[in-house]
Amino acid sequence: MSNILIVGANRGIGYYMAIRLLEKGNNVTVLDIQDDHISELKKRYQNSLLIIRSDATDEDSLSEGVKKSIKEFGNVDIAIHNACLCTFANEQDTGYEVYKKVMDVNYFGALRLSKLILPFMREKKEGRIIFTSSGVGVTGFGNISPYASSKGAIESLAKCLEIENQDYGITFHIMHPPLTNTASSSELPVPKEFMANAEKIGKGLADHVWSKKFVICHSFSQSLQMKLCYCYPLCMGKMMWKMTQRAIRR
């Protein structure tokens, strides 16, 4: 039985990850600014689910959540940063404050979680930290540069921290879900049929949280797509942008 902490799991992919991890007999701590949805699971998992109101942009609330999780379930075996803020507008209509706000949740949220969890994992000489990324952080995409930039940043952060912590037996990983029908993507002008099902993706990713691969995907086909994105980033980004624009026009 593992203690798995997820930042951002009240709804969407994180919610279904939490369900699957609980089904597999793990202890799960959920840190989120909202708890209206995840609280529905508390009756079913009274002894294995801990829910704490916390904000990815607030180090104090994250620190309190981490301490409560360790007190309740022991050292954290896996910490997942899944909190997400996504905006949809081109660069000309997006001010600096939007870039800063998105980075604060997506990038600095991941960094805060890492800095709070790493001392405990280093003492234990084991553990893994996972950041939820996005294909657009690798390839680029139109009208989404704050979000894509933050995801590109956590890709580099994970690589650097993996190298720095390898002697401690701590590994870092990136999760790559496809475009999924969630609240954070609801304003994206893409037909819903282009979006994956959140339950399928969340549970699929949960099944692979112990994968030794740096890039974790829910399926073989998604892994193949991500390999293409890493090999031909800008080509894939431009192609997906053109496909999306054609679908919108239709």
Side-chain angles (χ1 to χ4, degrees):
M1 180 185 295
S2 300
N3 179 18
I4 302 174
L5 183 147
I6 309 174
V7 179
N10 183 54
R11 292 181 180 272
I13 292 173
Y15 172 79
Y16 290 109
M17 274 199 293
I19 289 179
R20 176 68 90 196
L21 294 168
L22 288 163
E23 290 174 345
K24 287 176 169 284
N26 299 289
N27 293 320
V28 175
T29 301
V30 170
L31 276 57
D32 204 305
I33 56 174
Q34 297 177 322
D35 60 8
D36 58 317
H37 203 51
I38 193 71
S39 293
E40 297 171 2
L41 302 177
K42 189 60 181 174
K43 289 184 179 180
R44 198 187 323 168
Y45 299 102
Q46 288 185 7
N47 298 322
S48 55
L49 174 61
L50 179 63
I51 303 168
I52 302 167
R53 293 288 289 272
S54 182
D55 188 339
T57 67
D58 179 18
E59 184 175 351
D60 290 339
S61 70
L62 284 180
S63 178
E64 188 67 21
V66 169
K67 290 175 183 176
K68 286 182 178 179
S69 178
I70 292 172
K71 182 178 180 181
E72 182 76 16
F73 299 132
N75 279 334
V76 174
D77 299 291
I78 303 177
I80 302 172
H81 179 71
N82 185 61
C84 169
L85 177 60
C86 188
T87 59
F88 305 100
N90 62 38
E91 170 273 323
Q92 298 178 64
D93 298 324
T94 306
Y96 287 111
E97 69 282 356
V98 175
Y99 283 87
K100 291 177 181 178
K101 188 175 181 180
V102 172
M103 289 292 288
D104 200 17
V105 175
N106 300 352
Y107 172 76
F108 285 105
L111 180 59
R112 290 184 189 98
L113 178 63
S114 300
K115 282 186 168 291
L116 290 168
I117 287 286
L118 279 171
F120 297 101
M121 290 186 171
R122 288 180 185 132
E123 184 177 353
K124 191 182 176 185
K125 296 288 186 180
E126 63 178 352
R128 57 176 43 210
I129 297 177
I130 304 173
F131 303 149
T132 301
S133 188
S134 170
V136 299
V138 178
T139 66
F141 197 73
N143 296 346
I144 201 172
S145 60
Y147 174 79
S149 299
S150 71
K151 295 301 183 178
I154 65 170
E155 297 258 337
S156 295
L157 178 64
K159 293 169 188 172
C160 293
L161 297 186
E162 162 81 15
I163 292 169
E164 291 179 17
N165 288 280
Q166 57 187 332
D167 291 341
Y168 292 99
I170 300 167
T171 60
F172 279 77
H173 308 267
I174 292 291
M175 286 198 303
H176 265 293
L179 177 59
T180 307
N181 188 6
T182 63
S184 62
S185 65
S186 61
E187 295 182 23
L188 188 64
V190 174
K192 297 302 179 185
E193 58 267 24
F194 276 40
M195 299 183 179
N197 176 268
E199 180 175 3
K200 179 180 178 181
I201 303 306
K203 290 185 174 181
L205 288 170
D207 288 338
H208 293 86
V209 292
W210 286 107
S211 171
K212 293 181 179 180
K213 296 179 179 179
F214 177 71
V215 175
I216 298 174
C217 298
H218 78 288
S219 68
F220 175 76
S221 60
Q222 179 66 12
S223 296
L224 182 60
Q225 180 178 322
M226 285 313 305
K227 286 181 181 178
L228 289 172
C229 289
Y230 280 108
C231 290
Y232 309 102
L234 196 53
C235 289
M236 290 293 289
K238 289 181 177 180
M239 181 185 71
M240 288 188 292
W241 174 246
K242 289 179 181 178
M243 290 173 60
T244 302
Q245 294 305 299
R246 284 200 295 267
I248 292 171
R249 287 195 292 269
R250 285 200 299 267

